[in-house]
């Protein structure tokens, strides 16, 4: 793959940073940069075809209604869902998880029930469940993570029971970058008929996902981590579950008939999409999926694997640098600490060199507590990163270390 050609599609890399450096963007696990095609889809909508959707019989409304339906089909194909009815647009992964918590799980819960999550979860896949536990007297069971960053699958097997009303898990830790074996987990959960929600926020920019193969009941993601815009995402849900659930929100756009006495609702997926959607966002998501599809999956895999391995070996050569978790089943996400230097100081120094990394707890405080580190530095790669970015990172880290010693 011609990475220079791919990178040239991202206009942000054409400018210098405020410190006069080339931008080296290594915070892709937080959010990825946007290719011109995604930016164009959004500006085209606002500047040439602006309207609402689904309600007008005039031309831009028709154009946009058709386009939104096309994006729903693209998402369906992207996830290999069975039907467009299984695709609901949301404001992002966090929004999706909260909606499932409220509309699917809350009405079923009673004291003594259990919700199972894991120690690697982002706060987005922890706090909504914690709040349900508080409200309904439900127990939160937490799957331990091993030193390697892998979940303790034996523990899951032993602790899954019919009391577990939902298993909510990320497909990949946003801190350790270790991918979880979702198929193995859904197979175990089938025995106890426990629905499984997959937080796929960290995987879709670099991994193909097949919801039928995984056999998960729900899956959420955000567009902004896969080259799309912020403020838009998707909940995938099996049709039977989407049908049985209460609407995610109440209001316009979801109803068949309304009187002051009662309202009845449209079929899925529209039943779950009250209000005017984030039309620009959905169109941008469609362009992001097209962008990903035109990259060869094999070449993307090879490039990101090579970068990750190169980064792991280069970073390990730095004295006092400790990488969190192991190297098996590794996504392009690496968290580390350096003896004697606070992660925030590291990121501030790297910023001077035009290098963007994340420092802190990465919205996964319980995981950092498990690894007994208050904060770490995280570097995460996307298709536009190169080995030269990693060389510059390592040089800047050595310079930072020299300053502090
Ligand atoms: C694993 C994981 N889940 C959920 C989220 C939340 O995504 P958003 O803030 O787009 O809703 C993130 C964001 O960092 C994440 O990494």
């Amino acid at each position: 793959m011609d990475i220079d050609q791919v990178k040239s599609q991202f206009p942000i890399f054409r400018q210098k940073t405020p410190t006069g450096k080339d931008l080296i963007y290594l915070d892709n696990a937080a959010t990825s940069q946007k290719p011109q095609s995604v930016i164009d889809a959004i500006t085209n909508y606002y500047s040439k075809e602006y309207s609402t959707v689904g309600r007008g019989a005039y031309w831009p409304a028709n154009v946009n209604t058709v386009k939104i339906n096309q994006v729903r089909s693209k998402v369906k194909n992207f996830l290999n869902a069975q039907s467009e009815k299984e695709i609901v647009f949301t404001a992002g992964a966090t929004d999706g998880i909260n909606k499932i918590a409220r509309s699917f799980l809350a009405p079923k819960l009673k004291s003594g029930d259990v919700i199972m999550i894991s120690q690697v979860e982002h706060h987005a896949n922890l706090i909504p469940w914690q709040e349900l536990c508080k409200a309904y007297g439900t127990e939160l069971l937490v799957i331990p993570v091993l030193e390697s960053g892998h979940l303790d699958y034996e523990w899951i097997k032993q602790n899954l029971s019919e009391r577990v009303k939902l298993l909510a898990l990320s497909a990949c830790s946003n801190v350790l970058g270790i991918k979880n074996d979702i198929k193995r987990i859904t197979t175990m959960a089938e025995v106890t008929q426990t629905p499984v929600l997959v937080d796929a926020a960290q995987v879709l920019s670099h991994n193909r996902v097949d919801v039928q193969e995984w056999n998960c009941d729900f899956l959420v993601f955000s567009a902004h981590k896969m080259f799309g815009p912020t403020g838009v995402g998707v909940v995938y849900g099996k049709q039977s579950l989407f049908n049985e659930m209460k609407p995610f929100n109440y209001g316009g756009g979801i109803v068949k008939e309304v009187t002051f006495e009662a309202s009845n609702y449209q079929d899925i997926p529209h039943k779950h999409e009250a209000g005017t959607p984030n039309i620009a966002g959905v169109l941008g998501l469609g362009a992001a999926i097209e962008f990903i599809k035109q990259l060869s999956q094999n070449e993307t895999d090879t490039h990101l694997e090579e970068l990750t391995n190169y980064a792991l070996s280069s970073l390990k050569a730095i004295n006092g640098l400790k990488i969190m978790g192991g190297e098996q089943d590794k996504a392009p996400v690496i968290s580390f600490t350096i003896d004697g230097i606070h992660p925030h100081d590291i990121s501030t120094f790297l910023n001077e060199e035009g290098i963007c990394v994340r420092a802190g707890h990465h919205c996964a405080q319980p995981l950092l507590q498990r690894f007994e580190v208050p904060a770490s530095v995280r570097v995460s790669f996307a298709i536009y990163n190169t080995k030269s970015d990693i060389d510059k990172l390592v040089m800047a880290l050595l310079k930072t270390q020299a300053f502090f010693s």
Side-chain angles (χ1 to χ4, degrees), residues 90-98 124 199-201 220-223 225 232-235:
T90 64
T94 305
D95 185 42
I97 294 168
N98 277 279
D199 171 0
V220 299
F221 69 88
S222 297
K225 291 182 196 281
V232 64
V234 164
V235 174

Side-chain angles (χ1 to χ4, degrees), residues 29-31 91-97 120-125 170-175 199-202 220-225 231-232 358 362-363 378:
T31 195
T94 305
D95 185 42
I97 294 168
V120 305
E121 300 312 316
H122 185 281
H123 297 162
N125 198 29
S170 65
C172 174
S173 158
N174 67 310
V175 178
D199 171 0
Q202 283 299 330
V220 299
F221 69 88
S222 297
H224 71 92
K225 291 182 196 281
V232 64
R358 188 63 167 265
H362 318 293
C363 295
R378 181 184 69 189

Side-chain angles (χ1 to χ4, degrees), residues 55-114:
R55 296 178 182 105
Y58 50 87
W59 69 268
N62 291 335
V63 167
N64 288 314
T65 303
V66 169
K67 283 190 178 178
I68 294 278
N69 289 337
Q70 286 169 343
V71 177
R72 205 185 296 278
S73 275
K74 281 181 194 173
V75 176
K76 175 215 144 212
N77 294 333
F78 190 58
L79 300 178
N80 194 30
Q82 272 182 357
S83 158
E84 283 83 2
K85 293 179 183 171
E86 298 173 321
I87 307 301
V88 168
F89 296 116
T90 64
T94 305
D95 185 42
I97 294 168
N98 277 279
K99 283 176 164 154
I100 300 296
R102 223 174 36 232
S103 295
F104 172 73
L105 200 56
K108 290 179 192 291
L109 284 181
K110 54 185 185 333
S111 169
D113 285 344
V114 172

Side-chain angles (χ1 to χ4, degrees), residues 41-349:
I42 296 165
T43 50
N44 181 69
Y45 166 66
Y46 281 123
S47 57
K48 297 196 179 139
E49 292 176 350
Y50 183 74
S51 73
T52 189
V53 289
R55 296 178 182 105
Y58 50 87
W59 69 268
N62 291 335
V63 167
N64 288 314
T65 303
V66 169
K67 283 190 178 178
I68 294 278
N69 289 337
Q70 286 169 343
V71 177
R72 205 185 296 278
S73 275
K74 281 181 194 173
V75 176
K76 175 215 144 212
N77 294 333
F78 190 58
L79 300 178
N80 194 30
Q82 272 182 357
S83 158
E84 283 83 2
K85 293 179 183 171
E86 298 173 321
I87 307 301
V88 168
F89 296 116
T90 64
T94 305
D95 185 42
I97 294 168
N98 277 279
K99 283 176 164 154
I100 300 296
R102 223 174 36 232
S103 295
F104 172 73
L105 200 56
K108 290 179 192 291
L109 284 181
K110 54 185 185 333
S111 169
D113 285 344
V114 172
I115 301 170
M116 192 181 275
I117 60 167
S118 87
Q119 239 172 354
V120 305
E121 300 312 316
H122 185 281
H123 297 162
N125 198 29
L126 188 173
I127 301 171
W129 312 120
Q130 204 171 47
E131 285 296 321
L132 283 191
C133 289
K134 265 201 282 181
Y136 295 91
T138 309
E139 189 186 344
L140 192 68
L141 265 188
V142 182
I143 305 165
V145 62
L146 307 174
E147 206 55 33
S148 66
H150 291 91
L151 299 181
D152 187 340
Y153 292 95
E154 267 314 301
W155 188 98
I156 304 176
K157 204 166 160 189
Q158 280 159 17
N159 286 276
L160 259 177
S161 73
E162 266 126 50
R163 280 177 63 218
V164 183
K165 297 300 179 232
L166 187 79
L167 213 168
L169 273 186
S170 65
C172 174
S173 158
N174 67 310
V175 178
L176 307 170
I178 304 295
K179 292 183 247 178
N180 295 326
D181 188 343
I182 298 297
K183 180 74 199 151
R184 188 168 168 191
I185 289 163
T186 55
T187 307
M188 288 190 238
E190 227 176 329
V191 179
T192 53
Q193 297 194 323
T194 303
V196 178
L197 177 149
V198 177
D199 171 0
Q202 283 299 330
V203 291
L204 283 161
S205 67
H206 44 78
N207 268 107
R208 290 285 187 269
V209 162
D210 183 329
V211 288
Q212 293 191 63
E213 195 198 320
W214 274 359
N215 193 22
C216 53
D217 297 275
F218 297 107
L219 179 139
V220 299
F221 69 88
S222 297
H224 71 92
K225 291 182 196 281
M226 44 176 278
F227 314 113
T230 53
V232 64
V234 164
V235 174
Y236 155 85
K238 282 186 178 161
Q239 285 185 58
S240 56
L241 300 178
F242 267 176
N243 270 325
E244 91 185 30
M245 285 160 65
K246 290 167 174 248
F248 286 169
N249 284 322
Y250 295 97
I254 64 167
V255 286
K256 285 184 183 154
E257 206 174 62
V258 182
T259 65
F260 281 114
E261 287 69 40
S263 305
N264 56 29
Y265 302 112
Q266 284 196 41
D267 295 333
I268 58 167
H270 307 292
K271 167 182 157 184
H272 294 303
E273 291 179 346
T276 304
N278 178 354
I279 301 166
V282 172
L283 297 175
L285 167 61
I289 291 175
E290 286 303 316
F291 172 78
I292 292 174
K293 272 175 31 191
Q294 49 103 35
L295 303 170
S296 139
Q297 181 63 41
N298 281 347
E299 290 179 47
T300 303
D301 288 349
T302 309
H303 178 62
L304 292 175
E305 208 177 302
E306 274 176 18
L307 278 186
T308 308
N309 290 337
Y310 185 69
L312 284 168
S313 61
S314 311
L315 290 170
K316 280 191 297 192
I318 298 179
N319 249 338
L321 187 147
K322 295 192 186 84
I323 290 171
M324 293 174 69
E327 296 179 16
Q328 286 263 309
D329 304 314
K330 186 87 172 150
V333 179
I334 304 173
S335 283
F336 61 86
T337 53
I338 299 182
D339 288 347
I341 319 178
H342 195 280
H344 286 135
D345 289 333
I346 296 175
S347 73
T348 306
F349 267 70

